[in-house]
Amino acid sequence: MQDHLLSELGQQLRVDSVRAAAAAGSGHPTSSMSAADLMAVLLANHLRYDFEQPRHPGNDHLVFSKGHASPLLYSMFKAAGAISDEELLTFRKLGSLLEGHPTPRLPWVGVATGSLGQGLPVGVGLALAHKRLERPDGANSRVWVLCGDSELAEGSVWEAFEHGCYEHLDNLTAIIDVNRLGQHGPTRHEWDLGAYARRMHAFGWHTIEIDGHDVAAVDRAYGEAASTVGRPTAIIAHTVKGRGVASVENREGMHGKPLPNPEEAVAELGGVREMAVPVLGPPAVSAGPPPGDGHLSLPRFDSGERVATRDAFGQALAALGTARGDVVVLDGEVGDSTRTEFFAKEHPERFFECYIAEQQLVAAAVGMQACGWLPYASTFAAFFTRAYDFVRMAAISRADLNLVGSHAGVAIGEDGPSQMGLEDLAAFRAVHGSTVLYPCDANQTAQLTAAMAEQSGIRYLRTTRGKTPVLYPPSERFPIGGSKLVRATDGDRVTVAAAGVTVPEAIAAADRLAGEGIPVRVIDLYSVKPVDAQTLRAAAELTGRLITVEDHHPEGGLGDAVLEAFCDGRPAPRTVRLAVRTMPVSATPEQQLSEAGIDAEAIAAAARELVGAAT
């Protein structure tokens, strides 16, 4: 498209952004207006995308990291003929797909954005999928990420700059909309493009500084980015917030508000236009995850062995990678601890080392799943807290993601509390639509590792550092949402609900109490979410007494999951909740369980007290 038409298209995108926000009575039109020329040139001359086939494997990806500029994105969709003018004006209204920040409810949006600092890290995952997995030459699909200058204060952005260069992602372009103003006052570097360029160049990126309202310069920059080989490109564009309307141009206090006089603003911008943009189509490619051999041969462990569940996870993951060609694994430089190294040795082409950058770890996994891959991302359970916002946004993205946290709970022993995941069950249970699993033995872990692949949404598996006894035969099955009765008689007087390392402790306590004439029912709640409410209710009705025991803080973990089974008006049993209530220190695993009051002796004492109080 010629320059004068590109300028007209930029004005149309501004006008439609103003109109959409005015119709909604809210939104971010001034943030949209600054980037309108940047997006006009991209849409008309460089983006290769089939709007009728949003899952076409040759499509480029456009990620609006500054998701608050959604009026601009939706105006682009209108210009491309994907939505009508009438639909554009439903922006932010109940029932509309045009939400305040973009989500994949729209077929042309691959990932949700709006929590700043996430678009570029996810873009790295998208670019990695095309560069290393699908088409190693990286010659076809490109990833374009529109970033705001304010979000460059986020550390996650710089994790992405580092990783993008390390992986030589020359199919990735960051478009930095430097409009000087944030939500409240100027940004850190205002219009000092060189300050941004020096930092990005130091991370190894090719940088281009331009006037973001000079459409010819923008066009040249995109062409230069596409022809740059061996490293990603950052286009750093000087823009003006509220561009084109004198009353709001470069003015503080106008962020996140519709324009005061939208009709006058539209007139000042030259009025409503109805330009239709013939977007470039994607190349014809045959891509997508390759099939595996289709035969899943999970590891088998003999009863009586002692095997760490992290070891079983690693072996099962390698086997799953053989059976399924779509499985990819990402690790945060702890593969020898998480045991993802087993997968790396067998399937190195599908293993991604993300180093100690947990935000980038999860973000890359989100990007890869958006390209049709099945990621398993793993680190210590404690360290997923760094990436929790990415997990939260992944749920909003409707992402299918497997996350595995090792070294959970006080049972890791001498390393001390900084390494102990004691909040992870609560955190992942709180994620919308999530699945939370905590296996107690090796065969159970292997089965659940494979079962995760068939679930939707965010799936979290908790593994243990130390060796635990193998309780179940390899033929046993563990449906998600189920549980196992590992001790049960018709005369049981107390129910103990446990998971993971506390299951062997509960069994030991039950065996001890049986000798004292106190029969105890033990439930292995390997599925923490969804929890087996039916089994819990039946046990409560029989025994009337319940003990929950978990290697986790009491807030939000196993105990809360159990009690929620009785929140529909059903009478709850008399309950004692054993959990980690003090701040741990360095000690052996056995000492840790004892000090926390979650070992066999503590369980037995709680049962005696419950039974004694009732007699």
Side-chain angles (χ1 to χ4, degrees), residues 59 97 261 283 307 408 474 516 579:
N59 279 342
L97 297 180
N261 299 293
V307 181
E516 301 173 17

Side-chain angles (χ1 to χ4, degrees), residues 79-99:
I83 66 172
S84 66
D85 190 67
E86 290 75 18
E87 187 172 5
L88 176 70
L89 299 182
T90 68
F91 176 53
R92 287 186 168 222
K93 292 182 171 61
L94 181 63
S96 174
L97 297 180
L98 309 186
E99 300 184 61

Side-chain angles (χ1 to χ4, degrees), residues 166-296:
Y166 174 78
E167 293 285 357
H168 305 288
L169 299 180
D170 50 17
N171 58 337
L172 173 63
T173 300
I175 305 162
I176 315 299
D177 179 24
V178 184
N179 64 23
R180 191 185 76 86
L181 293 175
Q183 177 168 328
H184 180 71
T187 56
R188 179 176 290 159
H189 299 295
E190 301 195 37
W191 275 322
D192 186 354
L193 303 191
Y196 295 113
R198 288 190 296 273
R199 287 159 173 77
M200 295 167 193
H201 186 75
F203 276 95
W205 284 52
H206 176 57
T207 59
I208 308 170
E209 300 175 45
I210 60 169
D211 176 351
H213 302 306
D214 180 342
V215 293
V218 174
D219 196 32
R220 288 193 299 271
Y222 289 151
E224 184 177 332
S227 63
T228 297
V229 177
R231 54 179 175 162
T233 296
I235 298 172
I236 307 161
H238 179 295
T239 64
V240 178
K241 198 165 187 173
R243 167 78 171 190
V245 177
S247 63
V248 297
E249 262 194 9
N250 194 31
R251 281 192 55 193
E252 295 185 28
M254 295 307 302
H255 182 89
K257 300 175 182 178
L259 269 59
N261 299 293
E263 291 183 359
E264 292 180 13
V266 168
E268 187 176 349
L269 291 166
V272 176
R273 298 158 175 83
E274 295 295 338
M275 293 179 67
V277 179
V279 179
L280 299 171
V285 296
S286 57
D293 67 13
H295 177 66
L296 179 58

Side-chain angles (χ1 to χ4, degrees), residues 311-453:
D311 290 332
F313 158 70
Q315 293 178 47
L317 188 60
L320 187 64
T322 299
R324 297 185 55 150
D326 60 345
V327 173
V328 294
V329 173
L330 305 92
D331 201 273
E333 204 193 295
V334 285
D336 55 341
S337 293
T338 63
R339 299 305 196 243
T340 57
E341 65 179 3
F342 297 152
F343 184 96
K345 290 174 182 176
E346 293 195 27
H347 311 287
E349 75 286 356
R350 287 184 276 141
F351 179 80
F352 295 84
E353 179 57 76
C354 294
Y355 301 94
I356 306 299
E358 291 84 7
Q359 295 178 103
Q360 184 58 66
L361 169 76
V362 175
V366 171
M368 288 180 178
Q369 66 82 40
C371 293
W373 297 86
L374 180 64
Y376 282 73
S378 185
T379 186
F380 284 19
F383 304 150
F384 271 121
T385 56
R386 289 179 180 266
Y388 191 67
D389 190 30
F390 283 80
V391 175
R392 181 183 72 87
M393 288 298 296
I396 297 172
S397 287
R398 295 158 174 79
D400 291 325
L401 203 59
N402 300 293
L403 304 175
V404 182
S406 72
H407 290 59
V410 299
I412 70 168
E414 292 90 344
D415 275 348
S418 68
Q419 310 299 294
M420 296 173 178
L422 291 166
E423 309 84 6
D424 54 319
L425 296 180
F428 284 101
R429 283 184 65 238
V431 174
H432 176 74
S434 63
T435 298
V436 181
L437 307 170
Y438 186 16
C440 70
D441 90 336
N443 286 318
Q444 190 178 71
T445 303
Q447 293 283 345
L448 292 176
T449 298
M452 292 170 76

